[in-house]
Amino acid sequence: MKPPDEPLIRRALGAEILRRRKALGLLQRQVWERAGLAKNVYLRLERAERNALVHQLIAVAIGLDTTAGELLGGALDRIARGDVPSAGDEWRAAFGVE
């Protein structure tokens, strides 16, 4: 089995970040402030518009009261289930991105 491609991983991780945020009832602003990230950095991660650097992933995990391992594990589970949104408008519609 070959590893998933980069865009698929990025979309799965963004979906997992969004799922966790919504499960906690947090606004995007609350997460980026708790994480200590710039607004545009956090938004681009949640929307799967950029790859997460390790320190950014750790910061997001802290902002979401979880671990980077949990977020990555959730993303990999999504890939295994085939539960990864496609890019663009389908992503926003499927996951209600603000």
Side-chain angles (χ1 to χ4, degrees):
M1 181 166 116
K2 73 178 204 170
D5 68 4
E6 192 174 292
L8 183 66
I9 295 168
R10 186 173 53 241
R11 291 192 320 268
L13 182 58
E16 192 58 24
I17 290 168
L18 174 64
R19 183 202 64 76
R20 177 74 180 172
R21 178 176 66 79
K22 289 195 174 261
L24 293 172
L26 296 173
L27 300 173
Q28 291 171 323
R29 174 184 296 277
Q30 291 172 298
V31 180
W32 80 62
E33 287 174 351
R34 290 168 61 159
L37 291 174
K39 172 185 176 179
N40 67 321
V41 171
Y42 175 77
L43 293 178
R44 291 184 70 206
L45 292 172
E46 184 178 292
R47 293 177 182 163
E49 295 171 351
R50 72 177 291 160
N51 292 328
L53 300 175
V54 173
H55 72 280
Q56 293 167 339
L57 179 60
I58 292 168
V60 169
I62 289 168
L64 294 171
D65 294 327
T66 191
T67 66
E70 286 292 322
L71 290 175
L72 287 172
L76 291 174
D77 288 346
R78 283 180 172 279
I79 291 169
R81 292 190 316 263
D83 182 23
V84 180
S86 58
D89 292 334
E90 290 180 50
W91 165 271
R92 287 184 265 295
F95 288 92
V97 174
E98 299 170 5

